[in-house]
Amino acid sequence: MTELSFEFLKKTIKPRPYNAHKGSMGSLLSICGSYGMAGAQILSARSALKSGLGMLRLLTVDSVYPIVAPVVHEAVFLPQKASEKGTFSRESIPVITKNMKNSDAVLIGCGLGVNSDTQEIVDYLVLNSSVPLLIDADGINCLAKHIHLLGEKVCDVILTPHPGEMSRLTGLSVKEITASPQRVAEDFSKRYGVTTVLKGADTVITDGKNTFVSRAGNPGMATGGSGDVLAGVIGSLLCQGYSPLEASACGVFIHGTAGDFARENLGETSMLPSDVIDCLYKVFKKAEE
């Protein structure tokens, strides 16, 4: 197991080419948010944009669009009619398919909600996505009901569970998971052929063959929305051409280190996930030095 550091980050993150343009820096399709959970989509979108991608396409529930659009200026929006539960409906699948073809990665799950419609969308992506797929939060909770589908996936998959979500995926107790996070994450990745980001004070990142641990971050990040920020960073790196393991390892370290910069400015009690986003530039700037 390798502990992540700035040295690793500097070796992995590539300089932006002189002739870079939005078409060469990756396109991310984000399927996040629902009625009452607009913040999850905003946080993941803003962190993705702050992490270097060229184009962000936001599939947005129509009731959430007026909330998200005024604060995420740089995205292309794809508003969709909500289900009666205020989430994406299965009727969005044709739009997802069309836009997936023009994207380099897909992020699903932040604030998604869990019901038959969202579960069908997650299942569809696992079985049909033509690009790498990052599944977070409620996307994981949907998948947990049909975990066997990972055996039929046709793309690279990253899962970013906290211990509670890992418990739903594996059937293990949270106590068992927190007692042996490395073993649990590695066993899961080996069994299903995925990259696992098992979040915690020491986050474990593994593809079952190579394992990293990040000790960056602090208790000030123990608040709702922090995982959405992390998902955006990893999704952004994934669509820029980094491997699932590279995107996950770098994303976790960047996110945790930005949290440490936020703590320096604000202390642990008053810092928010949005403050972490505001400090992402410091991490990338240091990595470029």
Side-chain angles (χ1 to χ4, degrees):
M1 182 169 65
T2 302
E3 183 172 345
L4 293 171
S5 63
F6 261 109
E7 182 181 1
F8 173 84
L9 190 65
K10 290 182 177 183
K11 288 180 179 179
T12 308
I13 296 294
K14 307 175 186 69
R16 295 170 77 85
Y18 172 76
N19 60 346
H21 54 85
K22 66 182 180 183
S24 66
M25 296 310 298
S27 174
L28 179 66
L29 173 61
S30 174
I31 307 168
C32 297
S34 58
Y35 184 76
M37 295 295 288
Q41 183 164 55
I42 291 169
L43 291 168
S44 61
R46 289 189 60 232
S47 63
L49 288 163
K50 282 285 190 177
S51 298
L53 85 167
M55 176 71 72
L56 177 62
R57 292 180 172 87
L58 287 183
L59 200 77
T60 311
V61 174
D62 52 7
S63 59
V64 170
Y65 172 71
I67 301 170
V68 178
V71 292
V72 184
H73 306 133
E74 298 87 352
V76 174
F77 287 90
L78 305 166
Q80 300 296 299
K81 184 178 180 180
S83 71
E84 60 183 21
K85 296 181 179 179
T87 68
F88 291 107
S89 78
R90 53 180 55 88
E91 295 177 4
S92 297
I93 288 178
V95 176
I96 292 172
T97 302
K98 178 181 178 181
N99 284 275
M100 183 169 61
K101 294 176 181 178
N102 297 316
S103 302
D104 297 293
V106 175
L107 163 62
I108 186 167
C110 308
L112 186 69
V114 180
N115 55 52
S116 59
D117 281 283
T118 56
Q119 185 172 309
E120 185 171 332
I121 293 171
V122 172
D123 290 353
Y124 172 81
L125 284 169
V126 171
L127 295 175
N128 296 279
S129 180
S130 56
V131 296
L133 177 62
L134 170 56
I135 306 176
D136 182 56
D138 277 343
I140 292 173
N141 294 327
C142 287
L143 179 64
K145 300 176 183 295
H146 291 159
I147 189 67
H148 65 280
L149 292 181
L150 285 177
E152 303 174 45
K153 67 184 183 305
V154 295
C155 66
D156 290 326
V157 173
I158 301 172
L159 298 173
T160 56
H162 56 56
E165 292 161 347
M166 197 67 177
S167 178
R168 295 177 202 120
L169 290 171
T170 62
L172 298 171
S173 68
V174 171
K175 184 177 181 180
E176 289 174 303
I177 292 166
T178 54
S180 303
Q182 181 182 346
R183 178 183 59 78
V184 170
E186 289 176 343
D187 288 349
F188 186 81
S189 286
K190 290 174 184 175
R191 179 175 181 180
Y192 293 106
V194 299
T195 299
T196 304
V197 177
L198 180 51
K199 296 182 284 193
D202 295 336
T203 294
V204 176
I205 308 100
T206 183
D207 61 1
K209 298 177 182 178
N210 301 288
T211 300
F212 298 93
V213 63
S214 175
R215 295 190 169 89
N218 60 80
M221 301 172 75
T223 185
S226 289
D228 303 320
V229 176
L230 174 61
V233 177
I234 295 175
S236 182
L237 296 174
L238 187 62
C239 78
Q240 292 176 58
Y242 296 96
S243 72
L245 186 63
E246 290 172 335
S248 298
C250 290
V252 168
F253 182 77
I254 290 166
H255 175 249
T257 305
D260 289 338
F261 279 126
R263 177 177 59 181
E264 290 179 9
N265 296 338
L266 301 167
E268 291 182 353
T269 302
S270 295
M271 59 184 281
L272 296 172
S274 53
D275 298 316
V276 176
I277 295 173
D278 290 340
C279 288
L280 286 172
Y281 83 92
K282 295 185 178 182
V283 188
F284 284 104
K285 185 176 180 182
K286 186 172 180 178
E288 294 168 1
E289 291 175 351

